[in-house]
Amino acid sequence: CFTYICNMSKAEKNFIHLCNPHLEKMQEDILYHFALGTGTHDLPALFGDVKFVCVGGSPSRMKAFITYIAGELGLGSPGSEHPNICAGTDRYAMYKVGPVLSVSHGMGIPSISIMLHELIKLLHHAKCSNVTIIRIGTSGGIGLEPGSVVITRKSVDATFKPQFEQVILGKSVIRSTDLDEQLAKELMQCSKEINEFNTVIGNTMCTLDFYEGQGRLDGAICLYTKEEKLQYLREAFESGVRNIEMESSVFAAMCNLSGVKAAVVCVTLLDRLKGDQISSSHDVLVEYQQRPQKLVGYFIKKRLGKV
């Protein structure tokens, strides 16, 4: 699939590529978890103008983002409601304004993987071109002050390898987790122009859970010492890791296979070298969570020539 993408013409690379020959034989494609489908919806009419897709964990955060970006782009009247396009299901939420699509993906690799399969198919069926997908979210930092924003260079696994491993038909399949280098640099330049919060480019460690997989001491089960935890996190830092979350590896792998330019932009809620529990006030956390939105919002405005 990767070789096929490399051999495509420049014009072909502008479109979403599906690494699945079986789809061509289907008369209808039901995007079950979105409550959408090629037989029930005119996907090109609904989504054909999409150029930017922003995905994040919670539905409320993605609704807040679409409201924010609508205001930044001057689309719609202030205070206007943006309907949930996926109202027919309670799995994910989806909002759209102009060329921007905002989609929730839930928590962890399985949840975002399901969403991405259907999102990528949706963009393909809608005949979208030159699409950029950005995950905006929260994370635990390593060696950074809380509130710092990390633009991911590479997503690495819990052994610090830049790969996503999945068992398919009983066999282990390893895929690359590289992200678009130029896009990361462009986002970093946008942060410098905003000049409101600390931003770095670094590796992001993607784990399978929030507690033991991230070396926390406060879960229901913990059979390692504080010293072992700190040694592991220091090794992560020395390898280039600057934050930890639970979605970036499969996100990078799937976007790579589909020929989509992608980035991950996450704010750090705490420094894991100093603790495990998130103790900042609600107001502080809300402001932190707005930082990736501000950065990506500025990036979209700049791309559209509105800065």
Side-chain angles (χ1 to χ4, degrees), residues 163-193:
Q163 63 182 36
F164 171 63
E165 183 175 2
Q166 184 174 6
V167 176
I168 302 173
L169 301 181
K171 298 178 181 179
S172 177
V173 177
I174 294 176
R175 291 170 174 165
S176 168
T177 54
D178 287 347
L179 288 158
D180 191 272
E181 185 178 354
Q182 284 304 120
L183 179 56
K185 290 180 179 178
E186 191 175 346
L187 285 161
M188 186 67 191
Q189 179 58 36
C190 287
S191 182
K192 290 178 181 178
E193 291 173 17

Side-chain angles (χ1 to χ4, degrees), residues 239-292:
S239 75
V241 173
R242 292 297 176 267
N243 65 332
I244 312 172
E245 45 88 272
M246 297 183 289
E247 293 88 17
S248 59
S249 62
V250 71
F251 173 80
M254 292 184 69
C255 288
N256 275 335
L257 284 172
S258 304
V260 183
K261 291 186 177 181
V264 178
V265 180
C266 289
V267 69
T268 61
L269 301 182
L270 76 166
D271 182 355
R272 289 295 317 289
L273 292 172
K274 297 179 180 178
D276 294 331
Q277 298 210 328
I278 300 167
S279 57
S280 299
S281 70
H282 172 74
D283 290 344
V284 169
L285 291 176
V286 168
E287 195 278 321
Y288 283 173
Q289 292 177 36
Q290 290 172 348
R291 294 181 180 187

Side-chain angles (χ1 to χ4, degrees), residues 3-40:
T3 303
Y4 176 82
I5 292 173
C6 290
N7 291 333
M8 286 194 296
S9 68
K10 186 175 181 181
E12 288 175 319
K13 286 182 180 180
N14 291 337
F15 291 90
I16 307 296
H17 173 64
L18 297 183
C19 292
N20 184 356
H22 305 289
L23 292 173
E24 298 175 5
K25 304 171 186 176
M26 294 169 52
Q27 292 184 344
E28 180 182 3
D29 191 5
I30 299 171
L31 308 179
Y32 172 72
H33 299 89
F34 285 165
L36 298 171
T38 57
T40 54

